[in-house]
Amino acid sequence: MTTPLSVLIVEDDGEAARMVSFYLEKENLSVISASNGPEGERLFRQQSPQLVIMDVNLPGFDGLELCRRIRQASAVPILMLTGRSADTDKAIGLGIGADDYLTKPFSPVELVARVKALARRAYQYTEPIKPALLGGPRLTMDTTRRQVSLDKQPLNLTPTEFNLLQVLMANPGWVFTREHLLERVWGFQDDAGEETVTAHMSNLRRKLGPGGHLIQTVRGGGYLYEESEETDR
């Protein structure tokens, strides 16, 4: 029997937390709940959940701080919930490592779909790309072990960052628009979602450091990966 995926929900609105728990448990997911930032951090460290859903507005310390603390220790998928209309919170959340976000109010169907997509990308990636080894002399990816190295030094990427880089490295020289990457990696198309791609690409380039130039921005187009003598200089 397959062990249920464990999900930590950090939400101070009791009714909202119960609603989210109800629909996730209907999908045979194991749910752990916390009502504030410190409790969420404690349960994360004690229970090691496989996915985290957190509200931005939390007592103790907010979801943005909780996201930062979790990211210091883990690449677990994080879905942020926000009731704010400003794009600033979304941009900050994505910039510090959240994988996706939903703006309240949201439908339970959309929530479940986003959670399943995050879980699929992180733990059940169903589109293995051959060959198992991708890349050039500097940046290499082992798709079987889900490991990436730059100049033989391992990189600590989140599941979303890995999958984003995988699409590019499996197709060197091909230009992928933000819309295409959103569909391939996140599994949906949404005009507002383009900023999600931009934020994750920025995080990925930052982690690549001196190898960040291997991912090129094509003006008016999107992104491409290319490792050649020109890009390696």
Side-chain angles (χ1 to χ4, degrees):
M1 186 175 186
T2 303
T3 303
L5 188 80
S6 60
V7 180
L8 170 63
I9 300 171
V10 191
E11 169 64 77
D12 65 324
D13 183 329
E15 183 176 350
R18 285 190 292 273
M19 183 271 289
V20 172
S21 297
F22 173 77
Y23 283 98
L24 293 182
E25 287 172 346
K26 283 183 64 177
E27 298 296 325
N28 195 36
L29 302 180
S30 175
V31 177
I32 312 160
S33 295
S35 59
N36 57 63
E39 184 184 13
E41 182 182 24
R42 178 178 61 81
L43 287 177
F44 178 80
R45 296 184 183 281
Q46 290 179 350
Q47 303 293 329
S48 300
Q50 295 165 288
L51 193 144
V52 180
I53 301 172
M54 66 178 71
D55 193 7
V56 170
N57 293 315
L58 291 172
F61 50 78
D62 65 17
L64 298 176
E65 177 61 23
L66 179 58
C67 182
R68 289 189 187 95
R69 296 187 183 197
I70 289 176
R71 272 292 167 262
Q72 291 174 356
S74 173
V76 64
I78 296 175
L79 172 64
M80 300 201 77
L81 308 177
T82 175
R84 305 174 184 178
S85 58
D87 291 334
T88 304
D89 291 325
K90 300 173 185 176
I92 293 174
L94 293 169
I96 60 178
D99 293 278
D100 200 0
Y101 62 85
L102 272 177
T103 302
K104 297 179 179 180
F106 51 82
S107 73
V109 173
E110 183 177 12
L111 172 70
V112 170
R114 294 293 183 94
V115 169
K116 285 185 174 180
L118 282 173
R120 183 171 60 250
R121 294 200 304 269
Y123 306 112
Q124 302 173 20
Y125 192 61
T126 57
E127 299 179 21
I129 299 175
K130 297 181 180 181
L133 297 178
L134 303 175
R138 296 199 61 198
L139 186 63
T140 59
M141 172 179 285
D142 185 329
T143 62
T144 302
R145 295 182 174 85
R146 293 183 67 82
Q147 296 174 346
V148 178
S149 297
L150 177 67
D151 297 329
K152 298 183 179 180
Q153 296 300 313
L155 298 177
N156 182 24
L157 303 183
T158 67
T160 299
E161 291 163 354
F162 181 94
N163 293 338
L164 184 61
L165 183 60
Q166 184 176 13
V167 172
L168 296 175
M169 291 185 68
N171 302 275
W174 283 78
V175 177
F176 286 88
T177 65
R178 290 176 178 84
E179 295 90 342
H180 196 177
L181 289 171
L182 192 65
E183 183 177 15
R184 288 285 299 273
V185 178
W186 280 263
F188 64 89
Q189 287 187 333
D190 180 354
D191 291 340
E194 291 186 27
E195 65 184 86
T196 300
V197 178
T198 302
H200 282 284
M201 191 64 72
S202 177
N203 292 342
L204 178 58
R205 279 174 159 162
R206 185 176 66 250
K207 290 184 177 181
L208 288 174
H213 66 283
L214 299 175
I215 300 176
Q216 302 176 40
T217 300
V218 180
R219 182 172 297 179
Y223 304 95
L224 68 84
Y225 159 79
E226 188 171 41
E227 189 164 349
S228 62
E229 292 184 1
E230 288 76 16
T231 57
D232 201 34
R233 287 174 183 170

